[in-house]
Amino acid sequence: ITERKRVEQAQKESETKFRSYINDAPYGVFVHNEKGDFLEANKMACLMSGYSEEELVGMNLSQLIPQADQQRSRENFHVLTEQGSVYFDIPHIRKDGTVRDWSVNVVKLSDTRFLGFTLDVTERAQADEEILRQANRAKSLLQIASRLNAALDLKAVLRATCEETCAALNVPLSVFLLYDSKSRAFHLADSSGLPPGLANSMKPLPQSVYDELVQKWGKSSVIPVLAHMPDLPYAELLREYGIKSYAYAFLERDAFPIGLLVAGAAGEEYILTEDGPELLSGLADQAASAIDNARLFTEVQERLRQLQSLRNIDMAITGSLDLRVTFQVVLDEVTSMLKIDAAAILSLDSHTGTLKYDSWRGFRTKDLKNIRLPFGEGYGGRSASKRQSIQIPDLREVEPDPVQGPLMAREDFLAYYAVPLITKGTVRGVLEIFHREPLNSSRDWMTFLETLAGQAAVAIDNAELFYKLESSNIELLRAYDATIEGWACALDLKDEETEDHSRRVTDMTLHIAQEMGMKDEELVHVRRGALLHDIGKMGIPDEILFKPSKLAGDEREVMCQHPHYAFKMLSSINYLRPALDIPYCHHEKWDGSGYPRGLKGKEIPLAARIFAVVDVFDALTSRRPYRKAWSQEKALDHIKQDSGKHFDPQVVEVFLKKIDNLI
């Protein structure tokens, strides 16, 4: 928003300056519509007519023209609409009733707007030439203002400035030199009519020449004879190409040089008009505003691209914990945004104290994995150890590095930059960039590079935190599962008759559950629930739990409480709550006659329905204190008979098909 406001402010300043120039002009200026109604008028137009601007705006041209000249006025207006401009003399009636001769020049701006320039020529017929010149000047300024305001590309602005300069001053040559603050010189940026040979030979114009010209001739001037400036760089070249005279104007913004606009003329006679410096200054001022706007627009676009680049990296960091993917995104953005040939990310191995190449882009060498940089050695190693960025715009100007020098030579790199990757005070690695030409970086360029390096460091830190957290979670899950298995083992050991019962029913339940389409994340809870299916029996007295004969009625009521005990024990543990289906519901029956809640059909969780079949089969085929173990055939017949009563028929069907694989 700030950049946009600067652009808008620059445009407003340019428009204000132009309107001030028109309003204070020594000739009348007015704008009217296709009906002849006045829309605008400057001070001189009001003074010449005797009306105030408020009175004049809204009046019709016909009200100022004598009746005898009305027809001629209409004819002139017809010429204006057909040809786009018209010049004529015609009497005008002032407010006080006096009649004065006006010289009028009107140009067509659009189908509904017409711009007129007037001079009172009652006593000065020689004003004809002056008004025409002033009109052409204003028209030129209007044209270039319209063209430049529509351009937001710097090259387009410079091209338009040069072309409009040639047209406005009627010269064959114009040159634009753009100021570079780093070299403190004006460099050829664009031209119109400049011979190629001369363009290739023009060297930058030092700021000392600017200072000399301003001191001797001012910020804009006409040099009628090139020989008057013998110390001008490449003056001999200009003379060689037939340039006899020139006019120049320096462009400034807030007292800071922007560039130099030059118009050159050929031939023995001086053809630059007397108002050449003033017109050229006006063109230069318009160009300065347009250049400022174009630069601001470019900066805004660059900031947007940088923000998008950072967003791309952020999305890669949050969307993937695979460092290879994130690093490739970082390197893509680094090479494209900074316009460099190659880049690499090195990570620090804390165990060996070396930097290794993890990801790279733009190298001719195919594999950099075997290259190791000792911490503190090589450009990258020194950047990491000193925790400082390294900037080498031209490697030819420094001593070759014994560690990384051979790689630089093989790759023909001429520029090298390194930024340490640091998060939370810890060095994680180094971001290196390479270019095969000398590289002059700006402060913004370097700041953006360091920002990208910061993003890469965050990616490494996030991945490391995730891996540590994942490892801790795995260890914690293993500890939980080991605890569960320990509880199950304790239950089996308590009753030697049911030893390994929990393991057997768990394995069979998992096979059936998987066959019936339960997902992996569900099977985890099925396994835990199966292991803990009898955890509630820890609350049953041993004399009931291990009674060798059948239980009495009140004893059976106590035994039937063990699903409730399981619920109370496990429901308070968030980690085990999803595994409650089997411990709480495995004694429910398909026909609703089970306990503890009397659930019926598919009201019973699928895991509990599966486990019920498996548990009964294993119990029947295992020896108990009060009976012998059944044969598999007898147990299977029992399960078949109870299908649709005790058991889910669909589960029974799958169980019978897979029984050979389960035993």
Side-chain angles (χ1 to χ4, degrees):
I1 294 175
T2 302
E3 298 297 334
R4 187 178 68 206
K5 287 184 176 179
R6 288 184 58 192
V7 172
E8 292 173 352
Q9 182 63 29
Q11 291 175 337
K12 288 180 180 178
E13 290 175 1
S14 176
E15 182 178 356
T16 300
K17 191 166 185 178
F18 176 74
R19 287 191 173 276
S20 176
Y21 170 78
I22 292 297
N23 199 42
D24 296 332
Y27 45 88
V29 180
F30 60 88
V31 177
H32 66 78
N33 62 19
E34 74 280 8
K35 297 178 181 179
D37 299 323
F38 288 104
L39 302 177
E40 296 181 44
N42 73 343
K43 292 178 181 178
M44 182 56 71
C46 294
L47 183 64
M48 290 171 59
S49 66
Y51 292 95
S52 67
E53 185 177 2
E54 290 78 13
E55 294 173 329
L56 197 57
V57 172
M59 292 180 63
N60 192 275
L61 282 168
S62 61
Q63 295 176 253
L64 301 182
I65 298 174
Q67 187 64 36
D69 298 288
Q70 291 282 341
Q71 180 60 32
R72 185 157 62 94
S73 176
R74 287 191 288 270
E75 292 172 356
N76 287 328
F77 188 79
H78 180 72
V79 173
L80 171 63
T81 57
E82 290 293 322
Q83 299 182 4
S85 65
V86 64
Y87 175 73
F88 58 95
D89 292 342
I90 196 167
H92 278 70
I93 306 172
R94 286 173 48 82
K95 183 178 181 181
D96 60 9
T98 60
V99 178
R100 304 285 291 181
D101 290 331
W102 285 9
S103 181
V104 182
N105 185 56
V106 187
V107 294
K108 180 180 179 180
L109 299 178
S110 69
D111 290 338
T112 59
R113 292 176 64 87
F114 303 84
L115 176 66
F117 304 89
T118 66
L119 277 178
D120 190 328
V121 294
T122 305
E123 297 153 355
R124 293 191 307 133
Q126 66 271 24
D128 293 352
E129 182 179 350
E130 176 64 18
I131 193 173
L132 181 61
R133 187 164 60 247
Q134 296 287 0
N136 288 335
R137 182 192 304 171
K139 185 178 180 181
S140 296
L141 291 175
L142 281 172
Q143 287 178 342
I144 193 170
S146 176
R147 186 174 177 186
L148 293 182
N149 286 337
L152 287 174
D153 178 71
L154 182 59
K155 291 183 178 180
V157 169
L158 299 180
R159 170 60 56 178
T161 300
C162 292
E163 292 175 353
E164 293 295 337
T165 297
C166 288
L169 273 68
N170 193 29
V171 293
L173 168 68
S174 67
V175 174
F176 197 102
L177 304 174
L178 201 61
Y179 182 72
D180 177 45
S181 58
K182 287 186 178 180
S183 61
R184 295 177 60 81
F186 295 82
H187 298 258
L188 178 63
D190 213 320
S191 63
S192 179
L194 186 68
L198 182 55
N200 296 332
S201 303
M202 291 180 68
K203 296 180 180 180
L205 192 69
Q207 188 168 354
S208 58
V209 175
Y210 159 77
D211 297 333
E212 180 183 345
L213 281 174
V214 171
Q215 182 178 6
K216 187 173 182 179
W217 299 90
K219 292 185 178 180
S220 64
S221 183
V222 172
I223 309 300
V225 181
L226 196 62
H228 291 173
M229 292 292 293
D231 297 330
L232 180 70
Y234 47 77
E236 190 60 37
L237 284 172
L238 295 174
R239 282 192 286 269
E240 181 181 340
Y241 280 91
I243 306 301
K244 302 298 183 182
S245 59
Y246 70 93
Y248 71 87
F250 283 101
L251 287 70
E252 291 184 344
R253 177 64 62 189
D254 299 327
F256 185 81
I258 293 178
L260 172 63
L261 179 59
V262 180
E268 296 296 333
E269 296 183 0
Y270 170 56
I271 63 172
L272 291 170
T273 61
E274 293 179 4
D275 60 350
E278 185 177 354
L279 180 54
L280 194 62
S281 294
L283 294 171
D285 189 65
Q286 293 285 352
S289 296
I291 290 171
D292 201 32
N293 293 346
R295 284 176 169 171
L296 289 174
F297 179 76
T298 301
E299 289 177 9
V300 170
Q301 294 295 101
E302 183 64 20
R303 293 291 184 273
L304 289 175
R305 285 194 292 269
Q306 290 180 359
L307 288 174
Q308 182 61 48
S309 177
L310 294 176
R311 182 176 181 274
N312 292 341
I313 296 175
D314 282 339
M315 291 177 66
I317 292 174
T318 57
S320 172
L321 288 167
D322 186 341
L323 278 178
R324 293 171 299 178
V325 174
T326 303
F327 284 168
Q328 287 304 315
V329 174
V330 171
L331 294 179
D332 284 343
E333 299 299 336
V334 167
T335 53
S336 63
M337 291 298 298
L338 300 180
K339 298 178 175 59
I340 45 94
D341 291 327
I345 294 176
L346 297 83
S347 62
L348 178 62
D349 187 335
S350 58
H351 299 292
T352 63
T354 59
L355 291 161
K356 62 177 182 177
Y357 283 87
D358 271 336
S359 295
W360 55 88
R361 177 65 54 80
F363 286 80
R364 294 168 183 165
T365 304
K366 293 183 178 180
D367 193 355
L368 301 179
K369 289 182 179 179
N370 297 325
I371 299 178
R372 295 288 188 274
L373 298 182
F375 194 73
E377 297 183 24
Y379 296 128
R382 290 199 296 274
S383 175
S385 64
K386 294 180 179 179
R387 298 167 172 257
Q388 294 178 349
S389 299
I390 291 179
Q391 306 177 35
I392 308 178
D394 193 337
L395 288 165
R396 295 172 298 187
E397 298 178 357
V398 299
E399 289 292 328
D401 182 81
V403 178
Q404 290 185 273
L407 175 64
M408 305 290 186
R410 288 198 306 272
E411 295 285 343
D412 294 327
F413 290 139
L414 291 181
Y416 174 86
Y417 288 72
V419 181
L421 307 180
I422 302 175
T423 58
K424 301 175 184 176
T426 302
V427 176
R428 305 288 186 179
V430 177
L431 171 62
E432 295 182 326
I433 66 170
F434 310 83
H435 201 53
R436 293 185 174 91
E437 294 180 1
L439 192 61
N440 292 320
S441 58
S442 65
R443 181 180 301 176
D444 289 344
W445 187 93
M446 194 64 198
T447 299
F448 187 61
L449 171 60
E450 291 172 347
T451 302
L452 293 175
Q455 295 289 93
V458 169
I460 295 175
D461 193 50
N462 283 358
E464 184 174 320
L465 287 174
F466 174 77
Y467 294 140
K468 287 182 178 178
L469 180 61
E470 186 178 44
S471 177
S472 298
N473 285 339
I474 291 173
E475 291 178 4
L476 185 60
L477 289 174
R478 287 174 177 171
Y480 283 155
D481 286 344
T483 301
I484 293 171
E485 290 175 2
W487 288 350
C489 183
L491 290 171
D492 286 347
L493 290 175
K494 188 176 181 180
D495 184 1
E496 294 181 358
E497 298 294 332
T498 61
E499 187 175 357
D500 283 339
H501 167 69
S502 295
R503 179 187 58 77
R504 292 194 304 272
V505 295
T506 298
D507 290 343
M508 285 191 288
T509 300
L510 287 173
H511 277 92
I512 298 300
Q514 190 172 24
E515 186 67 23
M516 296 192 72
M518 294 188 75
K519 298 178 181 178
D520 291 345
E521 55 267 27
E522 295 175 304
L523 294 176
V524 172
H525 302 301
V526 170
R527 177 180 180 276
R528 293 168 185 161
L531 286 170
L532 297 174
H533 72 280
D534 275 342
I535 191 70
K537 289 183 178 180
M538 295 180 68
I540 305 300
D542 287 352
E543 58 269 21
I544 295 177
L545 189 63
F546 300 119
K547 185 177 180 179
S549 60
K550 289 187 177 182
L551 299 177
D554 57 342
E555 291 173 330
R556 181 168 180 77
E557 288 182 6
V558 173
M559 178 65 79
C560 289
Q561 293 299 311
H562 79 270
H564 282 296
Y565 296 152
F567 181 82
K568 288 181 180 180
M569 294 174 65
L570 302 181
S571 62
S572 61
I573 305 173
N574 290 336
Y575 172 72
L576 294 176
R577 191 172 295 164
L580 266 173
D581 287 348
I582 293 176
Y584 192 32
C585 303
H586 71 285
H587 283 295
E588 302 286 357
K589 296 183 179 181
W590 184 256
D591 60 6
S593 62
Y595 66 91
R597 292 184 290 166
L599 299 179
K600 183 177 181 180
K602 291 189 177 181
E603 293 176 352
I604 307 168
L606 176 60
R609 283 182 268 145
I610 295 172
F611 185 82
V613 176
V614 172
D615 187 44
V616 169
F617 175 79
D618 188 79
L620 292 175
T621 55
S622 301
R623 185 174 62 85
R624 290 289 184 268
Y626 50 85
R627 64 164 173 79
K628 295 181 179 180
W630 289 16
S631 67
Q632 292 182 7
E633 292 77 8
K634 184 178 179 180
L636 291 175
D637 287 340
H638 174 77
I639 288 174
K640 291 177 185 178
Q641 291 173 5
D642 268 4
S643 177
K645 300 175 184 177
H646 187 165
F647 308 118
D648 178 349
Q650 186 179 2
V651 174
V652 171
E653 182 181 353
V654 174
F655 178 79
L656 294 175
K657 286 182 180 179
K658 296 295 180 180
I659 186 63
D660 292 336
N661 298 327
L662 298 176
I663 300 173

